[in-house]
Amino acid sequence: MLTQIKHLTTTLAPRLVEIRRHLHAHPELSGQEYQTAAFVAGVLSSSGLHAQEGVGKTGVLAELQGTQDSDHILAIRTDMDALPIQERTGLDYASRISGVMHACGHDIHTTVGLGTAMVLSQIAPEIGGKIRFLFQPAEEIAQGASWMIADGVMNNVGAILGLHVFPSIPAGTVGIRYGALTAAADNLKINIFGESGHGARPHEAIDAIWISSQVITALQQAISRTQNPLHPVVLSIGKISGGRAANIIADQVELSGTVRSLHPDTRTELPQWIENIVANVCNCYNAKYEIQYVPGVPSVQNDYSLTQLLQSVAEEALTNDHIQILPEPSLGAEDFSVYLEHAPGAMFRLGVGYPDRDNYPLHHPQFEVDESAIVTGVITLSCAAYKYWSRK
Ligand code: NI
């Protein structure tokens, strides 16, 4: 069967490249994937699958009935949204939408999802259970998964698979990672309140700018001295604003940042840990503070047996030298983790790098992919889905 899947995929390859180029030329921002969803639904329908639009706002869902009535469903999730970036690749099929670009490879993900649906629908009589295809919107703003789940897409799902492109792995190769794949990403806002005064008379004021610099320094130092170095935490203050004029001591500063962690226990402790440090620094200098700690998405923790399934099909279908077992997770975030609160799952990294040249990173205006990776992605996912039901 793996040989047949490979053959079907290779036959479909020119059509898949066409699909990908269409998606690439017509990117849509998070939550606005209307044309993309209609296009995806059209491709699914032409493969004989019933596509449901408007799931999770601008998402699409389709199902493939297996040969047996399974007690649960295997879900395959891909994401469809693009980024607010002006493309500078110069490709023939570069974005036709000003200021919007598929710079995170979600056009590849959508194409791989469609290719997998096309291949599996051709071998439907051989698939032992039900498969649900999820085409998710709004991954870049970490909300699409929650929208989809609110519409019931995880009902009866017993396992979920997904992928993300990775430019530092060459096309034709997949990256397999056991355990943590991405980090939890939470948002932090800290307001420091002091008291205004003349720049020449600091002792009569409470300088919110100086105190906020102490807060930032204390947080960064405390990470290295009080957090377990084997449970990484990254806290980056990306925005700081406050003050009125050069000779007026600022009475208020706002700090905004992102907090990344891998270990679930660490993540639980972080809000109180941050507050303690902020409170103690502010108390030293009679400043007041307010903290908003807004949980974002959890860490993607790949399920062991589903990761083994991905590795074993990749070994069989792509051969050993096209697999990299990834020793390290990323501190990037991925809202695939929200599905994992409902069912075990695993994501693999799809290599899209050109082997013979430097590759631009994700989210870069010149980000490009080696399109031969599409076939690798479809073969891996299709074989994994087939094998998932045949080993039951
Ligand atoms: Ni992405």
Side-chain angles (χ1 to χ4, degrees):
M1 182 52 66
L2 299 195
T3 316
Q4 196 185 341
I5 289 173
K6 279 167 85 167
H7 174 72
L8 288 171
T9 309
T10 317
T11 312
L12 270 177
R15 170 75 181 125
L16 294 174
V17 168
E18 243 174 57
I19 288 173
R20 187 263 160 162
R21 292 185 179 188
H22 173 86
L23 292 168
H24 192 82
H26 302 89
E28 290 175 297
L29 292 173
S30 306
Q32 298 170 31
E33 303 88 341
Y34 300 102
Q35 303 301 324
T36 308
F39 178 78
V40 163
V43 175
L44 291 166
S45 304
S46 65
S47 307
L49 290 164
H50 172 70
Q52 206 183 327
E53 282 180 70
V55 178
K57 301 189 182 177
T58 41
V60 182
L61 179 150
E63 284 183 349
L64 184 76
Q65 300 297 329
T67 49
Q68 292 158 30
D69 253 352
S70 45
D71 62 346
H72 70 272
I73 297 168
L74 171 67
I76 292 178
R77 173 275 206 175
T78 50
D79 46 10
M80 305 190 291
D81 53 330
L83 286 159
I85 292 177
Q86 179 64 45
E87 179 161 351
R88 287 198 282 116
T89 60
L91 293 165
D92 292 348
Y93 53 91
S95 172
R96 292 187 198 159
I97 314 294
S98 172
V100 185
M101 176 188 177
H102 269 296
C104 197
H106 297 192
D107 52 337
I108 297 286
H109 305 165
T110 305
T111 307
V112 169
L114 287 170
T116 304
M118 290 154 109
V119 167
L120 293 178
S121 62
Q122 289 187 57
I123 55 164
E126 311 292 332
I127 306 290
K130 202 174 191 181
I131 298 174
R132 182 177 289 163
F133 298 95
L134 307 179
F135 295 88
Q136 181 204 304
E139 195 285 325
E140 294 292 353
I141 56 168
Q143 297 195 19
S146 302
W147 296 347
M148 296 287 280
I149 292 164
D151 277 354
V153 304
M154 288 303 279
N155 294 349
N156 303 320
V157 169
I160 182 163
L161 298 174
L163 79 158
H164 202 293
V165 300
F166 211 47
S168 55
I169 298 177
T173 295
V174 296
I176 301 285
R177 166 83 191 154
Y178 286 85
L181 179 74
T182 62
D186 300 326
N187 297 308
L188 177 66
K189 199 172 270 185
I190 304 171
N191 265 292
I192 312 268
F193 302 101
E195 246 174 69
S196 230
H198 197 293
R201 304 182 64 78
H203 57 292
E204 293 173 358
I206 298 175
D207 184 351
I209 286 183
W210 171 68
I211 294 166
S212 65
S213 73
Q214 302 290 312
V215 165
I216 295 170
T217 306
L219 285 167
Q220 298 303 353
Q221 290 181 340
I223 285 173
S224 83
R225 296 294 84 190
T226 65
Q227 289 294 328
N228 181 345
L230 298 176
H231 296 170
V233 175
V234 170
L235 188 160
S236 293
I237 299 293
K239 191 176 167 208
I240 174 164
S241 55
R244 292 166 221 280
N247 62 350
I248 303 173
I249 287 174
D251 62 350
Q252 190 188 341
V253 170
E254 186 179 277
L255 311 172
S256 313
T258 179
V259 186
R260 308 289 169 119
S261 59
L262 284 180
H263 201 278
D265 292 345
T266 305
R267 186 185 188 211
T268 312
E269 291 161 9
L270 280 170
Q272 190 58 53
W273 178 85
I274 290 168
E275 170 143 18
N276 287 346
I277 291 164
V278 174
N280 281 309
V281 173
C282 287
N283 285 343
C284 276
Y285 307 115
N286 291 322
K288 299 202 166 21
Y289 68 89
E290 264 172 28
I291 297 181
Q292 276 175 278
Y293 192 95
V294 184
V297 296
S299 160
V300 169
Q301 300 281 337
N302 276 340
D303 174 76
Y304 187 83
S305 82
L306 292 169
T307 309
Q308 256 181 342
L309 170 73
L310 289 171
Q311 184 181 345
S312 73
V313 295
E315 277 168 1
E316 273 179 74
L318 310 174
T319 73
N320 274 341
D321 46 345
H322 291 102
I323 299 169
Q324 287 185 15
I325 302 295
L326 303 173
E328 289 171 357
S330 143
L331 289 175
E334 163 61 70
D335 80 354
F336 185 74
S337 58
V338 184
Y339 298 105
L340 303 184
E341 293 178 334
H342 301 265
M347 259 194 136
F348 65 96
R349 296 213 181 273
L350 178 67
V352 292
Y354 289 97
D356 49 355
R357 68 183 214 209
D358 285 344
N359 289 282
Y360 289 102
L362 297 170
H363 294 208
H364 190 284
Q366 287 164 280
F367 173 69
E368 276 184 49
V369 305
D370 179 337
E371 288 173 323
S372 67
I374 295 169
V375 164
T376 311
V378 173
I379 290 173
T380 307
L381 266 186
S382 303
C383 290
Y386 167 76
K387 200 164 171 188
Y388 177 85
W389 285 121
S390 62
R391 69 178 190 169
K392 287 279 158 189

